[in-house]
Amino acid sequence: MKAQDKKIVHLVAAARPNFMKIAPLYHALSATAWCAPRIVHTGQHYDFNMSDAFFRDLGLPDSHYNLGIGSGSHAEQTGNVMIAYEKVCLENPPDGIVVVGDVNSTAACAMVGTKLWIPVVHLEAGLRSGDRRMPEEINRLVTDAIADLLWTPSADADANLLREGVDKNKIDLIGNIMIDSFEMLRSKIESSGARESLGLKSEKYGIVTLHRPSNVDDADTLRSIVDSLEEITADIRLIFVSHPRTMKNLQRFALLDRLREINGIDLLDPIPYIDFMNIVTGAALTITDSGGLQEETTYLGIPCLTMRENTERPITVTQGTNKLVSHHELLPCVRKILAGEWSKGSCPPLWDGQAAGRAVLSLEKRLSRPGAFSRAPAG
Ligand code: UD1
C-alpha cells in the first residue's frame, strides 16, 4: 500500500501513564501495511522525567503534534486541549483517534473527535471507581459515553459498560496493554542496574508513590501519611518515588525537610520507566495511589497497599495482590506482608502482553468496513 493510502490514526497521549499505554500500540500499528499512526502529545506532562524520558525508554519517536498545553485548572487544561486539538483535526483530519486512560486530555480529545465525526476509540474503557469526586471518574464517564469503540482491559469493565446501556457491538475486550509495555521491555528492565545503583541488592524494601489530590493536597492528611511512613521504617526501608504535585505540596506544607531527614526513607525524583520497573520487580511491597501500579503489582505477584477509598481496578483486589487501605492500616498490613501472610493472587485473563495485537485487529476490522462507525440515530 502506498504511504498516502494508509489510514492515519492519532494516538493521543498527555501524561506519564498514557505514554506506557500508547507505546505497544504505536509499534504494532507501525508494523502493519495499512496504518500510519501519529502521536499527539497534549503536553499535560512536560518535565523531562515525566515525558521525554518515557518516550526514550519506550522507543517512541518525537510526537508528531505537541499541543504544549501544560498545567492549569481542570477547565483550563480541558478547554485548552480542545481548542488546540480541534485545529489539528480541522487542518489534517485523521481516519481515527485513539484516546487512552482517564486524564483531562482523554475526555477533551474524545469530545473534539466525536463532534467532528471522526471515529474515536477509548483504550482502557469501562473502568469505574463509582466515585464522582475524582476528576478521572468524570473523564471516564464522558469518554465512554461518546466514543465509537471501547477497548476494555478486563471483563468487569465490559460489565460496567453494558450496565450503563452501551451497545455490546461497540465493546472489544483486548486485555491490559500495560502488560505489553512491561513484556516489550522485560530484558531491559531486568538488566537496568537501577536497584544496584541505589544499594538495593540484598535488603528488603518497599516502594511508595503518591500523587492523588485526596492524599497530597491537604496539609493534615499529608502530614499524617508522612508520620505513618516513618513508623513503617522500623520494619522496612522505603523508596519514595515522588511526583511533581507531591513534591510541590511537601514543600508548601513544610514537610519536605522532615521527610528527607527520616532514616530509612529515600526520597527520589520521578524515575524513567525501565529503571522504575527494575526497582518495582525487586520490591517486597508497594504503597501507592497510582492506577498503573495496582495492575503491575498484580501481574508481578507483589503485595500492593493502595491508599484510596475505592479503585476503578477492583480485579486487582478480588484476584490480585492489592488491598485498599487508610494510612492507619499501613503498619499492620506491612507486618502481615513481611510475615508472608499475603495472598499471592493470580493474573487476570488477557493480561498477557498481546493486547496491542488484539487492538490492531479490532481497529482494522472496523476501519476497513464501510459504515462500521456510522452515527445513525438510535432506533
Ligand atoms: C494527572 C492525571 C492523573 C494521573 C496523573 C499521572 C488528570 C485530572 N489527572 O495528574 O489522573 O494519574 O496525571 O501522573 O488528568 N507538574 C510538573 N511537571 C509535569 C507535570 C505536572 O511540575 O510534567 C506539576 C504541576 O505543578 C501541575 C501538577 O504537577 O500543576 C499536577 O499535574 P496535572 O497534570 O495537573 O495532574 P497530575 O497530578 O499529574
Side-chain angles (χ1 to χ4, degrees):
M1 187 181 278
K2 290 192 202 129
Q4 67 268 26
D5 296 332
K6 289 189 179 187
K7 301 280 186 198
I8 303 290
V9 174
H10 284 181
L11 306 182
V12 177
R16 191 167 57 169
N18 300 159
F19 308 141
M20 270 109 74
K21 290 166 201 158
I22 62 154
L25 187 58
Y26 176 81
H27 295 303
L29 286 172
S30 299
T32 68
W34 59 271
C35 184
R38 300 276 183 262
I39 297 174
V40 180
H41 190 333
T42 66
Q44 190 174 333
H45 281 179
Y46 44 83
D47 285 352
F48 181 85
N49 279 348
M50 299 292 283
S51 178
D52 306 47
F54 278 75
F55 271 63
R56 184 197 59 202
D57 273 10
L58 294 159
L60 291 172
D62 287 346
S63 52
H64 300 84
Y65 300 95
N66 192 325
L67 309 184
I69 296 309
S71 303
S73 70
H74 288 283
E76 280 166 346
Q77 248 177 4
T78 309
N80 288 337
V81 169
M82 287 185 73
I83 293 165
Y85 189 51
E86 187 184 54
K87 288 195 180 113
V88 170
C89 288
L90 288 172
E91 273 165 31
N92 283 306
D95 297 292
I97 298 169
V98 178
V99 296
V100 306
D102 54 19
V103 300
N104 288 337
S105 304
T106 310
C109 292
M111 277 194 277
V112 169
T114 49
K115 288 189 177 182
L116 294 174
W117 291 24
I118 300 168
V120 171
V121 186
H122 186 202
L123 170 56
E124 200 184 71
L127 299 186
R128 296 288 182 270
S129 66
D131 183 353
R132 293 197 182 191
R133 293 169 302 178
M134 290 181 71
E136 293 84 357
E137 184 77 348
I138 306 303
N139 293 333
R140 291 181 201 114
L141 286 161
V142 168
T143 307
D144 286 343
I146 59 177
D148 299 278
L149 175 57
L150 299 158
W151 285 337
T152 52
S154 47
D156 56 308
D158 291 40
N160 290 335
L161 293 170
L162 293 171
R163 200 171 43 245
E164 289 170 11
V166 172
D167 178 350
K168 69 175 180 338
N169 294 315
K170 286 169 88 176
I171 305 171
D172 272 348
L173 174 57
I174 64 153
N176 190 335
I177 205 151
M178 296 268 289
I179 309 307
D180 291 36
S181 307
F182 182 84
E183 287 303 332
M184 182 176 91
L185 292 167
R186 181 187 275 276
S187 64
K188 287 190 177 165
I189 289 168
E190 283 168 356
S191 60
S192 111
R195 280 202 295 271
E196 284 79 355
S197 60
L198 287 171
L200 295 171
K201 267 203 121 160
S202 49
E203 190 186 353
K204 278 198 172 175
Y205 62 90
I207 294 194
V208 181
T209 80
L210 296 170
H211 74 284
R212 297 279 164 201
S214 58
N215 282 324
V216 305
D217 281 7
D218 173 71
D220 290 340
T221 308
L222 192 54
R223 189 172 305 111
S224 307
I225 291 175
V226 171
D227 289 344
S228 299
L229 294 177
E230 183 171 17
E231 271 186 343
I232 293 168
T233 57
D235 293 69
I236 188 166
R237 180 174 170 190
L238 294 176
I239 310 297
F240 190 139
V241 185
S242 67
H243 178 285
R245 176 191 285 277
T246 314
M247 280 306 258
K248 281 180 188 167
N249 287 339
L250 284 166
Q251 210 148 17
R252 188 153 65 100
F253 305 145
L255 289 166
L256 189 55
D257 289 339
R258 162 121 200 270
L259 186 63
R260 283 206 171 112
E261 278 159 18
I262 298 174
N263 233 339
I265 297 187
D266 300 32
L267 181 64
L268 308 179
D269 285 332
I271 301 178
Y273 179 69
I274 291 174
D275 287 347
F276 182 68
M277 289 314 297
N278 176 269
I279 300 170
V280 170
T281 49
L285 58 95
T286 58
I287 297 170
T288 192
D289 58 15
S290 140
L293 208 44
Q294 294 175 57
E295 297 180 338
E296 286 157 340
T297 47
T298 275
Y299 182 63
L300 296 166
I302 296 170
C304 182
L305 301 172
T306 297
M307 293 188 50
R308 285 177 46 186
E309 290 172 17
N310 45 57
T311 177
E312 61 290 338
R313 294 160 163 94
I315 201 166
T316 61
V317 176
T318 53
Q319 197 172 334
T321 55
N322 191 19
K323 182 174 165 62
L324 303 180
V325 294
S326 72
H327 61 87
H328 300 294
E329 295 167 281
L330 281 177
L331 186 60
C333 285
V334 165
R335 293 199 166 139
K336 261 181 124 175
I337 291 168
L338 294 176
E341 295 162 12
W342 204 259
S343 163
K344 298 233 173 329
S346 64
C347 184
L350 303 185
W351 292 26
D352 58 0
Q354 308 296 321
R358 288 186 283 269
V360 168
L361 291 178
S362 160
L363 189 61
E364 183 178 14
K365 196 173 69 186
R366 288 194 167 67
L367 283 180
S368 61
R369 187 165 15 108
F373 282 119
S374 129
R375 293 242 170 89

